[in-house]
Amino acid sequence: MKKAIYPGSFDPLTFGHLDVIRRASKIFNPLLVAVAQNEEKHPLFSLEERQEMLKEAVQDIQGVEVSSFTGLLVEYCSTNKIGVVIRGLRAISDFEFEFQMALTNKKICDSVETIFMMPNETYSYLSSRIIKEISKMGGDISSFVPTHVTKRLHQKFKNR
Ligand code: ADP
């Protein structure tokens, strides 16, 4: 099977991300889930925290490895000989940005293909941003993220 990378902020990961990871891991091996070190997005969780949460969530999924990257994704792909980038597509709102990114990446590095996967409709409305907002206001997020992520979010907002 071919090697692929699923990059993202994962701040924090949700059941939507996990659904994409499970689907992609059936087609690609190894599947690198790579956390982007994007400080300009002011993530709630540090790079290490985001990686730790992912590692715990994917420990039962075969062929999945968690890593991180800085700088241009296509450069990371070239250096590590990765030919496939997986991205998740939710509603139409994701399309324009993802379309732009995929075509730009293709222009910069012709050997990298972007493949889009749609999550199960149950998760198609989920976003890390919404989860953080609900959690911050004390809402119940247990059906949107794994238990260990719920705990981390509670901890984070309690300490603020
Ligand atoms: P980024 O900052 O790179 O968009 P995210 O962590 O928000 O990072 O998302 C990473 C990838 O996962 C993106 O392709 C995004 O569209 C996708 N994604 C996010 N949430 C979901 C979801 N609920 N279902 C499917 N794909 C998702």
Side-chain angles (χ1 to χ4, degrees):
M1 281 206 277
K2 229 177 148 63
K3 189 172 176 179
I5 186 168
Y6 178 33
S9 306
F10 304 106
D11 185 41
L13 86 134
T14 68
F15 284 145
H17 293 126
L18 265 183
D19 191 62
V20 171
I21 293 171
R22 281 189 205 281
R23 284 159 189 259
S25 70
K26 290 182 189 150
I27 309 171
F28 300 98
N29 192 332
L31 175 69
L32 301 185
V33 180
V35 184
Q37 189 166 17
N38 44 2
E39 293 313 313
E40 69 284 357
K41 279 199 176 177
H42 304 293
L44 175 67
F45 291 99
S46 71
L47 185 70
E48 290 70 30
E49 288 172 321
R50 287 179 277 153
Q51 279 188 279
E52 280 165 17
M53 285 186 279
L54 272 168
K55 279 186 185 154
E56 193 166 341
V58 303
Q59 60 191 359
D60 64 328
I61 313 175
Q62 244 218 319
V64 177
E65 295 164 22
V66 176
S67 65
S68 66
F69 71 100
T70 46
L72 275 183
L73 173 67
V74 283
E75 267 171 26
Y76 183 82
C77 290
S78 300
T79 313
N80 294 283
K81 309 219 177 327
I82 302 166
V84 178
V85 172
I86 306 289
R87 295 287 287 175
L89 263 193
R90 286 163 294 190
I92 302 164
S93 52
D94 274 337
F95 181 77
E96 195 174 347
F97 175 72
E98 294 293 344
F99 179 74
Q100 207 175 16
M101 274 252 300
L103 291 185
T104 309
N105 283 343
K106 187 84 186 139
K107 262 269 181 287
I108 304 174
C109 183
D110 191 42
S111 60
V112 175
E113 292 293 344
T114 304
I115 294 195
F116 295 102
M117 303 197 80
M118 276 177 269
N120 184 301
E121 60 185 356
T122 322
Y123 308 121
S124 62
Y125 59 92
L126 275 184
S127 76
S128 302
R129 186 181 56 79
I130 285 189
I131 301 298
K132 284 182 279 192
E133 277 176 28
I134 300 173
S135 179
K136 195 172 175 181
M137 292 181 201
D140 180 10
I141 47 160
S142 57
S143 50
F144 307 133
V145 296
T147 314
H148 68 278
V149 175
T150 302
K151 282 189 192 147
R152 293 255 192 167
L153 277 162
H154 286 167
Q155 199 65 35
K156 204 48 121 179
F157 289 123
K158 201 173 74 189
N159 294 337
R160 290 204 148 197

